[in-house]
Amino acid sequence: DTLPIALWSAAEIAEATGGVASGDFQCSGVEMDSRDVRVGDLFVALKGEAMDGHRFVDKAFAAGASAALVEQPVDWPHVLVKDTTAALHALAAAARERSPAKRIAVTGSVGKTGVKEAIFTALDRSSRGQAHRSVRSYNNHVGVPLSLSRMGARARFGVFEMGMNHEGEIAPLVDHVRPDVAVITTIAPAHIENLGSIEAIADEKAQIFGGLRKGGAAIIPADSPQYERLRAHAEAAGAQIYSFGRSKDARVRLLDAIPAANGGASLVTAQIDDVRLCYSVAEPGEHWIDNSLAVMATVYAVGGDLGAAGIALGEMGGLKGRGARHTITATGGRATLIDESYNANPASMRATLTQLGQTPASRRIAVLGAMGELGEFSKRFHEQLSDPIEAARVDFAVLVGEAMEPLVRKLGTVPANALGNPLAFAHCAGPAEAIAALEEFGLN
């Protein structure tokens, strides 16, 4: 075909941004952090309140950058523009317009990164490597246009994560992507301090539907208490509705799920319109059964290969900081470490503790950091962690941070377990104290 092999040429960058190229060059990637630059990248020298990327141009080229997008001339190949932030947005728009890719936007209070990765893995498998996605959690006002600018002209699918913690943040992100499909994984009290209520969180997340292309699809959780609210937003945007969940009215409906006895893969049977699917989900936990339904709904909505999606879900490994499992050496033998260190809110904490309780073990240790951005709800949500801690049969809980004080008081009133042993726990100010507490408990 006539599509370019390189991601961007000097002429294409200049045309997209209205800038002036210093010469002819080609770039295979786009990066804004000089520490992450790889050979062939275009380094975008963004200016922020506290940092100016122009200070790191030399470091970017030392790391192998092919060119830079700058506001002032440099002694390297470059495109000179008036405003690098505006230029990045323009480059993102050019990437969007030149590609025939079906674009998918993913948001939600919990699980958006995992679902984004699973959708990408499913579509990448069926398209033989022609899917693109935002890496890490590049889901904000810089990360979304950066991720979009990295999408190649040959991509058939693009999957983009969108995050928020204040009102008004989703709409500009979805305007960059203008997706064919918009996915909301779930609604939970993450960032409730800034938005004030679960309803307000649902309304803000639902702004993702406002940027859908004509005839686009809305993927929404049928089991959420906010389902009708989300559906109303989607219908107002003229979206086709693909609800997923355990509800009998869900368009993508769970029929049966058999979790593995060791907390590992689950066998799932689901119904999508008149199609019945049976597949395994490698990621452990009940929440991943629901996540898999959102993935299947998305693949179905874009006309993807459901069989390939099922294979991809069965092969996915744990995501760093989001459920990845590691075998480590500990006192008395070996232990399984479940890494959920990326972030925490009430829903993800409960899911993680449930997963811990379902994992066979001679003893279970939970190291929990305080949850942030809960505002006036903080005391209640921290106290409520006592129930999943008890249900998970935790032998020792290490609670880190001042905000854990309500949970500490609550656990102090928990009765002894069936063997007559009270729940052991330690309240620590920071990581050093937490490590000392674990060592005292006998975990070295």
Side-chain angles (χ1 to χ4, degrees), residues 104-227:
I104 299 148
V106 182
T107 193
S109 302
V110 182
K112 54 184 175 290
T113 301
V115 169
K116 177 258 297 181
E117 289 292 325
I119 292 171
F120 163 76
T121 302
L123 295 174
D124 197 55
R125 186 183 188 95
S126 63
S127 66
R128 299 186 179 183
Q130 290 185 302
H132 170 78
R133 95 297 206 177
S134 50
V135 299
R136 303 178 190 170
S137 289
Y138 278 14
N139 60 20
N140 62 10
H141 64 288
V142 176
V144 170
L146 179 68
S147 299
L148 194 53
S149 72
R150 294 169 168 176
M151 185 169 68
R154 284 183 168 80
R156 288 178 54 197
F157 302 100
V159 193
F160 303 92
E161 180 180 339
M162 297 180 184
M164 47 71 67
N165 54 25
H166 289 83
E167 184 180 357
E169 292 182 336
I170 289 289
L173 302 181
V174 76
D175 187 56
H176 282 301
V177 175
R178 300 179 189 175
D180 298 277
V181 178
V183 182
I184 293 182
T185 59
T186 189
I187 301 297
H191 315 301
I192 197 169
E193 176 184 21
N194 301 325
L195 287 117
S197 68
I198 289 288
E199 292 75 16
I201 293 171
D203 288 339
E204 176 59 24
K205 293 291 187 184
Q207 298 309 303
I208 198 170
F209 303 136
L212 278 169
R213 298 176 70 184
K214 185 176 181 180
I219 313 295
I220 52 180
D223 303 323
S224 170
Q226 301 302 316
Y227 170 71

Side-chain angles (χ1 to χ4, degrees), residues 314-347:
E315 294 178 347
M316 272 192 72
L319 299 174
K320 182 180 179 181
R322 297 175 174 87
R325 294 189 171 208
H326 308 277
T327 300
I328 61 173
T329 301
T331 304
R334 302 174 74 80
T336 297
L337 172 68
I338 303 173
D339 178 11
E340 282 280 2
S341 58
Y342 178 75
N343 207 343
N345 61 55

Side-chain angles (χ1 to χ4, degrees), residues 32-35 37 43-46 50-63 65 68 70 74 76:
M32 64 178 180
D33 190 330
S34 61
R35 296 168 296 184
V37 166
F43 175 65
V44 184
L46 296 176
M51 194 66 67
D52 183 352
H54 292 81
R55 293 170 47 195
F56 304 97
V57 169
D58 289 345
K59 289 186 177 180
F61 279 95
V70 292
V74 295
W76 300 99

